[in-house]
Amino acid sequence: MMHLNDKVPEKIGRIAELAYNLWWSWTPEARGLFRRLDYPLWRKTLHNPVQMLQEISPAKLHQAAQDSTFIRQYNKVMMLFDETMNNNGTWFHETYPDLGDKTIAYFSFEFGLHNSLPIYSGGLGILSGDHAKEASDLGLPFVGVGFMYPQGYFRQRLPSHGWQEAVYQQLDISQAPVLPVLDGNGHEIRISVNLAGRPVHARIWHVRVGRNPLFLLDTDVDENEPWDRELSARLYSGDSETRIRQEIMLGIGGVRALRVLGINPSIWHMNEGHSAFLILECIRELVAQGKNFEEASSIISKRSVFTTHTPVPAGHDAFSFHLVEQYFNGYWDELGISREHFLGLGGHEEEWGMAFNMTVLALRLSGLSNGVSKLHGEVSREMWQEVWPSNSADDVPISSITNGVHVPTWIAGEIHNIFDKYIGPGWLKEHDNSKIWLRLAEAPDEELWLVHLALKRKLMGFLRERVRSRWVNGSNDPTQVLTSGTLLDPEALTIGFARRFATYKRATLIFRDLERLQRILLDIHRPVQIVFAGKAHPADEPGKSLIQHIYNLAKHNQLGGRIAFVEDYNMHMARYLTQGVDVWLNNPRRPREASGTSGMKAAINGIPNLSILDGWWVEGYNGANGWAIGDEREFDNQDAQDEYDANSIYQLLEDEIVPLYYDRDRDGIPRGWVEIMRESIRSNAPMFGTRRMIKEYTTELYVKAILASEATPA
């Protein structure tokens, strides 16, 4: 940040400080400031203020410093920024005034905060990022721990044959909102972890997420061997050995990073099992202080919270005993237990044999555990009953807190303005209060509809401009020009489907009866079109096959340009899609979706969901705010389930959704449709925001853990 400060005129000198705090990314006034500074550059950098300030001309900065209107806006934003950072008057501060020094450490393998920091792959990372942002908004004493992936997750490229290719690009860290953590002499702070007999070192990066820090470990340092420098290079790549090394570094290294920074958390929260080795490191510290293993594990258990996100057994990390022995030989001696006892902490029978399961380790050693929706809680209790063999499934100690989305991040500016106007300018502070949303009835149908049409035009413009720019720079072939959205009709009913391409999400379900779908899409009076986006894991061949199938259909002229597949889905694109389509489609195989959050983003923007009654939608659907595919049945025969659900989609489109969308009055307003949009917002905005979610985590997990640990001090 130093060289940026040298470049920026003193009158607007703190704009660099603002650029390095991601608070700007969910604060309209701050985004407006950067937009005003240089709008073409704002667009070119995909809304990255750090890159903007590096590339902007000194003349432009001096011009802004002399612009009285810009200075007024700058002063207003910095005043708001300082008030926010002050942390007084927040929900946590007022509700738990005596717990302000009880730090909550939140560990996650990925954090989806902004597209300028691509260290996320999908829903888990976006949830972690939203969790961190809301923790800041509510004033929680919170610190995040994760990895700095210099190559991030892969960039998706679709050649003319449609088979996904993974392209890894080195992140220019100088253009990202991250800063190295330095000691008093200006040197980078390092930690080290023993991996199979040799120390592996990591530097620490600092990301400012509003009021709270996020620390990211990075093994790409000179002290390490070349293969160790690559350890944190990429997200979700490599074999089991790479994965266990990453998870040791995250769990054990993450604890050591906080210790060297002088941070001693009261609560350790593991978001998924990837970081579960942190519990062992915390136990090891207490054993070194004189406790035995049972005493230490009892103390740490009371301080540990574990959230599981995966309702599929194969989705939980498990390592062979041989691999665990290779990396933990000698470590169990430091815990004061035997090899057999150590392996038993995570021992679990997998399909391929006995193994060390990270979820089992976390469940056994955490005092509080939860799933991420009511249905997922039920599934998890049944799935992990064997960890508590004397308990019935109902008595398995896994609760549930349904996921949410960070409303300020995902709400469209135009929708935000409508809420300011009709709900009140203070709506954001109490958006988890369902009563305030009754005021949305005062917003005229015409206004809601015109705002939606404006957002739909923005989506279509974004897709066309994306294709044009890629065509100009030579990264698009002619096929992609046709398949990536340029042929879409801005007037047609537009369905959005964007998420990770895993087979259980059934991306191609709507194509099961292609002839019937064609009739729906190509109706000249009531046309329908579908936009797809999403990545398959680089090792997921069936997922890549689904992408290729849709891509080839998008090329098919018999579908009249009504199918588009937009490559390289990311947070930036997600905002346009979840704000600009007409219907959000989600059809996973029930009950395999733990929660899902993309549909929540659509719902709060007035985009009705067309979804299976799985994950969050079982709780969100009320009969008037969207549509339910099928019912709550679960099938033994997958083909029968697919047939049943596909027919339900077609029938809903033919009989309800398409007719309602095109039923316009004399003013061209689809009154019935707008009422569903309104109800989608009214019913879902208070329930499925991270504000409600973090308050539940705080009262149901964090505070309970703090009280339990204080009752049994170390």
Side-chain angles (χ1 to χ4, degrees):
M1 189 160 64
M2 292 300 293
H3 64 287
L4 291 184
N5 286 336
D6 296 340
K7 181 180 182 181
V8 177
E10 186 177 350
K11 206 168 182 182
I12 55 172
R14 294 184 65 200
I15 201 166
E17 178 188 352
L18 188 64
Y20 276 94
N21 191 320
L22 283 164
W23 172 83
W24 68 261
S25 70
W26 71 87
T27 307
E29 296 89 341
R31 290 202 302 271
L33 185 70
F34 289 114
R35 192 184 301 116
R36 188 182 189 93
L37 183 63
D38 190 329
Y39 182 63
L41 194 54
W42 171 255
R43 291 189 65 192
K44 174 182 174 286
T45 60
L46 301 182
H47 307 173
N48 180 352
V50 174
Q51 186 180 351
M52 274 185 72
L53 292 178
Q54 288 181 348
E55 297 184 6
I56 197 169
S57 69
K60 195 84 174 178
L61 287 171
H62 283 281
Q63 181 184 341
Q66 303 306 315
D67 181 343
S68 59
T69 305
F70 184 84
I71 291 296
R72 276 197 304 274
Q73 189 172 355
Y74 167 80
N75 289 334
K76 178 183 175 185
V77 169
M78 295 315 302
M79 188 181 299
L80 179 61
F81 178 67
D82 289 338
E83 286 175 2
T84 302
M85 295 307 114
N86 193 27
N87 203 26
N88 289 328
T90 62
W91 173 81
F92 188 88
H93 182 81
E94 293 181 347
T95 310
Y96 301 103
D98 299 329
L99 301 183
D101 61 342
K102 306 295 183 182
T103 302
I104 300 151
Y106 179 89
F107 282 60
S108 184
F109 219 41
E110 50 176 305
F111 284 86
L113 293 158
H114 188 257
N115 47 275
S116 60
L117 193 59
I119 56 170
Y120 61 93
S121 70
L124 180 71
I126 301 299
L127 186 278
S128 300
D130 282 6
H131 193 118
K133 292 173 183 176
E134 192 67 59
S136 168
D137 289 346
L138 290 175
L140 272 68
F142 178 94
V143 55
V145 180
F147 268 127
M148 176 76 241
Y149 301 101
Q151 295 179 23
Y153 199 47
F154 71 94
R155 301 289 302 274
Q156 182 189 53
R157 183 175 177 273
L158 294 179
S160 56
H161 51 67
W163 190 259
Q164 172 185 287
E165 294 178 356
V167 178
Y168 289 92
Q169 294 181 346
Q170 192 75 15
L171 172 67
D172 185 346
I173 292 180
S174 71
Q175 294 184 340
V178 298
L179 293 167
V181 178
L182 308 176
D183 63 19
N185 297 316
H187 301 130
E188 291 181 347
I189 291 178
R190 299 277 203 272
I191 57 101
S192 67
V193 176
N194 187 303
L195 292 181
R198 67 176 183 278
V200 176
H201 305 272
R203 77 179 103 186
I204 308 168
W205 295 95
H206 179 198
V207 182
R208 293 169 180 165
V209 187
R211 299 176 170 99
N212 298 324
L214 165 63
F215 295 110
L216 303 174
L217 303 178
D218 178 7
T219 62
D220 186 15
V221 296
D222 293 340
E223 297 95 316
N224 287 337
E225 299 291 342
W227 46 88
D228 292 328
R229 295 185 70 156
E230 288 286 309
L231 181 60
S232 65
R234 298 178 181 178
L235 175 63
Y236 299 132
S237 65
D239 54 16
S240 288
E241 186 162 6
T242 301
R243 178 62 75 91
I244 195 173
R245 293 169 73 229
Q246 286 183 324
E247 296 190 3
I248 292 169
M249 182 58 73
L250 176 62
I252 296 177
V255 173
R256 293 179 184 179
L258 293 181
R259 299 303 191 204
V260 79
L261 295 173
I263 298 170
N264 296 303
S266 298
I267 299 299
W268 303 88
H269 185 174
M270 293 155 282
N271 193 41
E272 265 298 5
H274 309 120
S275 59
F277 290 134
L278 75 83
I279 309 181
L280 300 180
E281 178 67 3
C282 291
I283 293 172
R284 186 196 64 79
E285 291 176 331
L286 290 182
V287 170
Q289 295 170 21
K291 304 286 185 186
N292 62 37
F293 178 82
E294 285 70 26
E295 291 169 337
S297 60
S298 175
I299 290 167
I300 298 305
S301 170
K302 291 180 174 65
R303 300 175 184 173
S304 300
V305 172
F306 171 59
T307 300
T308 176
H309 292 258
T310 310
V312 184
H316 296 261
D317 283 351
F319 303 108
S320 70
F321 282 171
H322 170 74
L323 199 57
V324 174
E325 285 185 274
Q326 180 183 339
Y327 282 93
F328 283 91
N329 187 21
Y331 192 89
W332 49 72
D333 295 328
E334 296 185 58
L335 296 175
I337 59 176
S338 67
R339 165 191 171 275
E340 290 72 23
H341 187 175
F342 183 91
L343 294 176
L345 295 174
H348 183 253
E349 189 70 42
E350 306 293 329
E351 290 183 0
W352 43 276
M354 200 67 178
F356 193 93
N357 186 293
M358 297 297 286
T359 296
V360 170
L361 174 67
L363 289 171
R364 285 192 174 132
L365 295 182
S366 297
L368 294 166
S369 301
N370 71 290
V372 290
S373 71
K374 288 179 182 175
L375 179 58
H376 179 234
E378 294 172 14
V379 171
S380 297
R381 286 189 287 275
E382 189 171 327
M383 183 189 309
W384 298 113
Q385 182 185 359
E386 61 198 272
V387 178
W388 293 271
S390 60
N391 289 17
S392 67
D394 289 340
D395 293 327
V396 167
I398 301 176
S399 64
S400 67
I401 294 177
T402 304
N403 281 345
V405 296
H406 186 241
V407 171
T409 292
W410 296 104
I411 201 81
E414 295 86 342
I415 299 288
H416 193 294
N417 292 340
I418 281 189
F419 295 168
D420 277 349
K421 186 174 178 181
Y422 294 102
I423 298 176
W427 70 270
L428 203 49
K429 289 186 178 179
E430 51 175 334
H431 67 260
D432 57 328
N433 177 0
S434 59
K435 291 179 181 176
I436 69 168
W437 294 96
L438 297 174
R439 302 175 201 156
L440 197 60
E442 298 171 18
D445 291 353
E446 294 83 354
E447 205 163 335
L448 282 171
W449 181 242
L450 289 175
V451 162
H452 173 65
L453 291 183
L455 290 168
K456 191 172 179 181
R457 284 193 297 272
K458 278 178 71 170
L459 167 63
M460 298 299 169
F462 167 76
L463 295 177
R464 285 194 300 274
E465 178 58 25
R466 202 166 182 270
V467 172
R468 188 196 67 78
S469 62
R470 290 183 170 217
W471 174 256
V472 169
N473 68 28
S475 59
N476 259 0
D477 63 30
T479 307
Q480 288 174 309
V481 173
L482 297 175
T483 57
S484 298
T486 54
L487 301 181
L488 295 177
D489 177 0
E491 305 297 324
L493 169 61
T494 304
I495 299 171
F497 182 101
R499 53 188 43 84
R500 184 165 56 90
F501 269 67
T503 51
Y504 79 87
K505 294 178 184 283
R506 299 189 296 179
T508 56
L509 181 65
I510 199 168
F511 299 108
R512 187 173 176 91
D513 185 339
L514 197 54
E515 198 173 306
R516 189 173 178 184
L517 178 63
Q518 259 180 305
R519 290 196 297 271
I520 295 169
L521 299 180
L522 301 180
D523 187 312
I524 60 170
H525 299 294
R526 303 188 304 190
V528 177
Q529 57 198 7
I530 314 174
V531 184
F532 290 88
K535 299 174 179 178
H537 186 282
D540 185 0
E541 302 299 304
K544 292 183 200 175
S545 180
L546 294 175
I547 290 173
Q548 185 180 46
H549 181 60
I550 294 171
Y551 189 83
N552 287 334
L553 287 169
K555 291 192 294 186
H556 204 302
N557 62 1
Q558 295 303 305
L559 290 173
R562 300 291 183 199
I563 305 294
F565 193 102
V566 192
E567 71 175 9
D568 205 26
Y569 184 49
N570 61 16
M571 281 184 76
H572 189 65
M573 187 194 302
R575 286 173 59 87
Y576 284 95
L577 287 169
T578 56
Q579 296 168 8
V581 298
D582 296 305
V583 176
W584 197 256
L585 175 64
N586 186 33
N587 44 232
R589 192 182 304 284
R590 179 187 159 99
R592 298 188 65 178
E593 180 163 85
S595 176
T597 56
S598 63
M600 299 174 186
K601 294 160 197 161
I604 63 174
N605 283 291
I607 311 299
N609 276 258
L610 168 60
S611 179
I612 295 286
L613 288 164
D614 195 11
W616 78 279
W617 191 233
V618 180
E619 302 167 48
Y621 176 63
N622 67 8
N625 59 358
W627 295 273
I629 300 168
D631 48 36
E632 297 186 44
R633 288 171 58 192
E634 292 166 22
F635 291 73
D636 295 327
N637 184 308
Q638 291 190 357
D639 190 63
Q641 184 176 16
D642 291 351
E643 181 71 18
Y644 181 81
D645 290 340
N647 279 329
S648 178
I649 293 173
Y650 299 138
Q651 190 170 357
L652 285 167
L653 286 170
E654 292 163 343
D655 298 344
E656 297 185 37
I657 298 171
V658 176
L660 189 65
Y661 181 82
Y662 285 103
D663 181 15
R664 312 289 168 92
D665 65 9
R666 292 179 186 175
D667 298 321
I669 310 295
R671 304 281 175 183
W673 187 270
V674 173
E675 196 48 48
I676 290 181
M677 290 173 54
R678 193 193 316 272
E679 181 62 15
S680 174
I681 298 168
R682 188 204 64 74
S683 59
N684 292 312
M687 283 298 300
F688 298 104
T690 45
R691 178 138 305 191
R692 183 270 313 156
M693 182 189 91
I694 296 296
K695 286 182 178 179
E696 288 188 15
Y697 269 100
T698 302
T699 56
E700 297 300 315
L701 299 178
Y702 299 152
V703 172
K704 283 184 179 178
I706 289 169
L707 295 176
S709 64
E710 288 184 342
T712 315

